Amino acid sequence: MPLMTRTRHLRTVSVAALLLTLSSFAHAIEVRFEAVAPGLYAFIGEKSGRTYENEGLNANIGLVVTADGALLIDSGASFQGARKIHEAVRQVTKQPVKWVINTGGQDHRWLGNGYFIGQGAEVIAHANAKADLQKRGGDHIAALKPELKEKLDGTVPTLPARWLSGNDETLNLGGTSVQVIHRGGAHTPGDVMVWLPQQRVVFSGDVVYVDRMLGVIPVSHTGRWLESFAALEALQPARIVPGHGQVCDLPLAQAQTRDYLKTLRTHMKQAVDAGQDISAAIKAFDAKPWLGLLNAAELHPGNTSRTYLELERE
């Protein structure tokens, strides 16, 4: 190759590499906590699916700053993602992360546990989550690997050290009263909500979805999900940090989570009781009020079939 041609080729390759690097930086996830109430913060994750760019951080993460340390609500989808979350915490407070509560069994709720345990944090979850975490941890890794690639390196499914067993457990964390509420699960068996009574704010985990369609997955139970939502309603929160979507009030959560689940469950129960087959029951369900939600087209069909099968088993 002539020298001039080779020089042009190398320049082209260098420019292409630079553009690729800049592109990667431009699409890297930025974790930033925003104030919700005094001492309370939330990172609002992307509402779409898990991608290389968002590093599986397509869910909301909570932060409570106490007089004696920080409480993190969910640890992210990977070891490296947890490190980014920790860096974002440091932009808010100099307090160390002393506690982490996993609000459920989805990957972005707990796969960052290993990182925070390495930082000295105590990780807490409900005992109903234990079997689910043990069973699906490897599946989470296998599902994330094609998307996250090297960004999943270092991630090992790591169980919490402390398991709660009651329906309503009040923890005193750094002088702050934190109530952990469980009603047998929702999106996953171990789903809990974290209630801060002083500020009247609830971090709902996957009990509440807004702006996007919720997902009824094989480990979900719509009946207990509605029981969990009823417990949230009893709190009459001033603000809700949902599992997915923007910080909201109770009426929006009712419209986009409770009403969908209640209508879906009622319809499918009637179909099962009447002996209607699953295909006809799905076709007859009127989903129009919720089809404008993000991801509705891809998630609603599975939601209907799994709810029908759940009620058939009952």
Side-chain angles (χ1 to χ4, degrees), residues 16-74:
L18 177 60
L19 289 174
L20 181 61
T21 301
L22 291 174
S23 175
S24 297
F25 279 119
H27 291 93
I29 186 74
E30 179 186 4
V31 181
R32 183 172 60 189
F33 285 97
E34 302 289 348
V36 176
L40 308 184
Y41 303 83
F43 160 68
I44 305 302
E46 291 188 8
K47 300 177 189 123
S48 57
R50 298 158 179 79
T51 66
Y52 181 80
E53 290 77 19
N54 68 32
E55 300 186 34
L57 294 175
N58 63 328
N60 299 343
I61 307 290
L63 174 65
V64 180
V65 179
T66 81
D68 190 36
L71 161 65
L72 191 67
I73 301 171
D74 294 321

Side-chain angles (χ1 to χ4, degrees), residues 16 47 88 94 107 110 117 146 162 179 190 207 214 234 255 307:
K47 300 177 189 123
K94 296 185 184 301
D107 46 13
W110 71 285
I117 289 172
R162 181 178 178 185
Q179 190 171 12
V207 173
L214 60 83
T307 303

Side-chain angles (χ1 to χ4, degrees), residues 66-250:
T66 81
D68 190 36
L71 161 65
L72 191 67
I73 301 171
D74 294 321
S75 62
S78 69
F79 186 94
Q80 295 179 49
R83 183 185 289 125
K84 284 194 170 186
I85 292 168
H86 198 190
E87 289 169 359
V89 170
R90 291 184 176 122
Q91 298 302 308
V92 173
T93 179
K94 296 185 184 301
Q95 293 280 18
V97 175
K98 283 195 171 183
W99 312 276
V100 177
I101 295 177
N102 298 147
T103 65
Q106 289 297 82
D107 46 13
H108 38 224
R109 304 292 172 203
W110 71 285
L111 285 185
N113 285 356
Y115 171 83
F116 285 104
I117 289 172
Q119 300 296 310
E122 178 185 37
V123 180
I124 304 165
H126 198 276
N128 273 24
K130 189 171 186 177
D132 183 41
L133 302 187
Q134 289 173 324
K135 183 176 181 180
R136 294 200 296 141
D139 294 340
H140 289 325
I141 296 293
L144 285 170
K145 188 62 177 177
E147 294 294 342
L148 270 56
K149 301 179 175 65
E150 80 283 353
K151 293 183 179 181
L152 195 61
D153 291 352
T155 306
V156 177
T158 306
L159 295 178
R162 181 178 178 185
W163 301 98
L164 306 178
S165 59
N167 283 343
D168 299 294
E169 296 215 17
T170 300
L171 309 177
N172 186 317
L173 302 180
T176 297
S177 179
V178 177
Q179 190 171 12
V180 181
I181 299 169
H182 178 73
R183 290 296 182 274
H187 183 57
T188 71
D191 279 3
V192 297
M193 298 178 287
V194 180
W195 169 238
L196 284 301
Q198 183 176 353
Q199 297 94 335
R200 295 186 56 236
V201 171
V202 62
F203 293 86
S204 74
D206 288 333
V207 173
V208 176
Y209 285 62
V210 298
D211 304 327
R212 57 154 291 183
M213 174 65 73
L214 60 83
V216 179
I217 60 176
V219 298
S220 302
H221 192 285
T222 61
R224 290 192 288 270
W225 198 330
L226 284 168
E227 291 175 14
S228 297
F229 198 98
L232 181 147
E233 290 177 303
L235 300 173
Q236 288 296 299
R239 305 192 83 186
I240 299 168
V241 180
H244 297 267
Q246 294 298 317
V247 177
C248 66
D249 58 14
L250 184 56

Side-chain angles (χ1 to χ4, degrees), residues 271-288:
V272 169
D273 290 347
Q276 188 177 33
D277 71 72
I278 189 169
S279 297
I282 291 170
K283 187 176 180 180
F285 182 74
D286 180 13
K288 289 187 186 69

